[in-house]
Amino acid sequence: MSEINSPISDAKDQIAQVLERLFAEYHRDKCYPGLSFEQGNRKMVQINVPAHELPTLLQAKPSSDNDPDSGKNRPEVEGHADEVKEYILKRVRNGKPWILGTLTANVAPDKIKLIELGRGICLVVIPRWVKLDITDGQHRKRAIHELIESSEAELIAENDFPITLVLEGNFNQCQTDFRDMAQTKQLDKSLLLSFGEFEGRVGITKNLINRVPMFLDKTEKIKDNPPTKKKLIYSINYIAKLVSCAFADEPNDDLQDYDVGTSSEALVNCLKQFFSECSQTQDIYEKSFEDLTVEEVGEFKETIILGRSVGLEVLGHLLYCAYDKDNECFEAEKVSQLAQLDWSRESNIWQGNVVIIDPRPKNPAKPYKISAGVNSIRIAVGMAKAHLGWI
């Protein structure tokens, strides 16, 4: 075994000696092992940079003063760097994994030295006076910069960050690169929730989808809008709002302090009771996905507000009034009262708030529109509470 490993060990020693000599020769500069490759008719290099070196190695050149040509990428988005920073801090403080995407920068080829070692392996030598211009990642760089200079620098000091370095000195091409890299489709909220960590609101929502017959196999988990033709009634985003409202009376609370198991059990039992007792949802609730027809799903979504996101959000706010925080359960009597409400689009409870009648509709067969605005939902919840005698 030692004879087989000997050539490999010798090769490793030789590589180490070469690198040691090169690092010693260029000790006054910044040196990084890299992988060189070609893409789009240009040479590129992938390097990894310690957190404490990023602030002095990278520089952002955002446009300003309504002049796109004043920089190589977009103006900074206020608050975005703070969001990145808070994401890192939250994950680190909780001892959880985190990740930032690769930054992209450019530099004129004649400003750095590339020492090829073979097979794409190289040493990248960057003089101290040279700064790399950020093509993509200015907010990530700023977040890292501020953390490194803060009193909590030790939280990320041992981390390295990958940079794809484009050997490009043409200003116009750098702007084009930024534009080309921005041609990504924004992810739907449903997909972000589906891939969210199994905790808080996300964990409870995923449990509901798997355990409540009203949602099981009837929920769109990728896109924001559930297609009726596929017999899908809800999206995961609809249900997440219901969950948040039921526990926090607010549609976007992450519910980080709520135990997923206990909270899920309480809300699963509550919703099973509600949907089975409500005459307008009972049929859909009891039918499996296979037995449902496209026509039934379409009719339900068209005539019952519980078939829409706004209906679930209203229901969530009302369930909040039935939640017993001390015993971590929903009061069965109040849930039954909610199930007896008229949840049809024609109900006077919803008219003028979440259901708006158009006096001059383009389609006389549908003389209404659904309003999901904050004020509309607030008024609808108030009307329902008044009808129930809860206020």
Side-chain angles (χ1 to χ4, degrees), residues 60-77 138 171 175 178:
K61 288 187 176 180
S63 302
S64 60
D65 298 326
N66 199 34
D67 178 12
D69 290 333
S70 63
K72 290 185 176 181
N73 42 42
R74 68 179 176 181
E76 283 195 9
V77 178
Q138 60 181 340
F171 176 84
Q175 285 192 319
F178 169 74

Side-chain angles (χ1 to χ4, degrees), residues 188 190 220 222-228 232-235 238 301:
D188 290 331
S190 290
E220 170 63 68
I222 301 296
K223 299 178 181 178
D224 286 343
N225 298 311
T228 301
L232 297 177
I233 303 172
Y234 305 106
S235 78
Y238 295 4
K301 292 167 74 171

Side-chain angles (χ1 to χ4, degrees), residues 46 100-104 136-137 140 162-164 181:
Q46 187 83 22
L100 291 186
T102 301
L103 293 91
T104 306
D136 181 62
R140 278 165 277 164
I163 298 175
T164 297
M181 294 185 70

Side-chain angles (χ1 to χ4, degrees), residues 111-128:
K111 288 188 176 181
I112 67 170
K113 187 169 185 177
L114 213 61
I115 302 174
E116 299 282 2
L117 302 175
R119 299 282 185 171
I121 301 171
C122 62
L123 187 70
V124 183
V125 181
I126 305 175
R128 290 188 177 188

Side-chain angles (χ1 to χ4, degrees), residues 139-192:
H139 297 95
R140 278 165 277 164
K141 182 265 182 184
R142 180 176 174 183
I144 297 165
H145 188 155
E146 292 181 359
L147 283 173
I148 282 296
E149 292 190 343
S150 74
S151 59
E152 298 182 287
E154 72 278 2
L155 295 179
I156 67 163
E158 297 300 321
N159 288 272
D160 296 285
F161 296 90
I163 298 175
T164 297
L165 182 57
V166 184
L167 305 188
E168 176 63 67
N170 183 283
F171 176 84
N172 291 331
Q173 183 59 52
C174 292
Q175 285 192 319
T176 301
D177 288 347
F178 169 74
R179 182 205 64 190
D180 291 347
M181 294 185 70
Q183 303 297 316
T184 55
K185 184 181 183 297
Q186 186 173 3
L187 295 177
D188 290 331
K189 291 181 179 178
S190 290
L191 183 60
L192 291 174

